[in-house]
Amino acid sequence: MRPIEVMKFLRQFTVLVQRNLRLIWNDKLLMASLILQAPFMVLVISLVVDPNCFTSNLVNVGSRTALFILSAMAAFMGTLNSYREICKERDIILREASVGVNLLAVVLSKAFVLLLIEIVQAAILAFGFVSIVHVPQNHLLFETNLEIFITVLLMLFASSAMGLLVSAIFKSGETAILVVLVLMIGQVVFSGIMFTLTGVASSIASVIVCRWGMGALGASTDLNSRLAWLKAGFDGPMYDATIANLLNCWQMLALISAVCIVAAWLVLQISFDRKKA
């Protein structure tokens, strides 16, 4: 891109971010749902998770279950944040594109606003979790609580990027929600928690947010050392408490985010080109 095109792109991006923030601010019901999701999830955690699940050998696989609840909540919240973002404005977006609005700027502005919201959601969810559950401090890269926050934020953002892609593909929120339900089931089935994944299932797991979120959370909390005493095969390389494993999981979550955002842009661009033809 030439400098003048970059400046035009940045101006459009800034205006679109401001507009998206204003729309959320003016929609009190939407804003309330975004704000209250995370505290509600923390309340659920407080009701179902044993605070001593990481420190007591009497709680079977409670520590792994607690982390999976956190992972699933982050994945579900992120997808619900975004699955209607594009489809509800599709006609407006394509009409604006016909007068020069850059579709990549549209998608990136929505992703950026979602990221701002999800920073707050991740802080409430992650630090609510560690205030309830007595999480051991493993300190791989940072304090364990901070690592958990980063993982939850990356999961929220990766899931919302996936939701943006769904929103770009389908023309109505009613259709998109059916796909979201399938994605949520996939997050559970292919997370590597309920079943041992091999072959095609293992390949599918490579694009599952919960799988990489669980890997990162397991590394941060040294989950293998909590599970090895069971001698039941719950521990494994997925939870290796190493910096390399933690960074790999974070990188995969970032990659899923980037691929979904680019794919959402390409889907919109194809729709616009077809409309012009």
Side-chain angles (χ1 to χ4, degrees), residues 54-66:
F54 278 95
T55 55
S56 172
N57 284 353
L58 300 177
V59 192
N60 200 1
V61 290
S63 54
R64 190 175 69 149
T65 303

Side-chain angles (χ1 to χ4, degrees), residues 25-38:
W25 178 259
N26 291 334
D27 189 337
K28 302 305 181 186
L29 182 60
L30 173 60
M31 188 169 64
S33 68
L34 292 172
I35 291 172
L36 295 176
Q37 274 185 72

Side-chain angles (χ1 to χ4, degrees), residues 1 6 24 26 41 54-55 71 138 179 223 239 268 270:
M1 285 177 116
V6 172
I24 292 173
N26 291 334
M41 296 299 184
F54 278 95
T55 55
S71 298
N138 196 30
V179 180
L223 187 58
Y239 309 123
L268 272 182
I270 290 170

Side-chain angles (χ1 to χ4, degrees), residues 43-63:
L43 175 62
V44 172
I45 289 171
S46 70
L47 294 174
V48 302
V49 175
D50 188 321
N52 299 310
C53 60
F54 278 95
T55 55
S56 172
N57 284 353
L58 300 177
V59 192
N60 200 1
V61 290
S63 54

Side-chain angles (χ1 to χ4, degrees), residues 189-203:
V189 173
F190 296 103
S191 63
I193 303 302
M194 299 180 66
F195 313 102
T196 300
L197 303 176
T198 58
V200 175
S202 180
S203 299

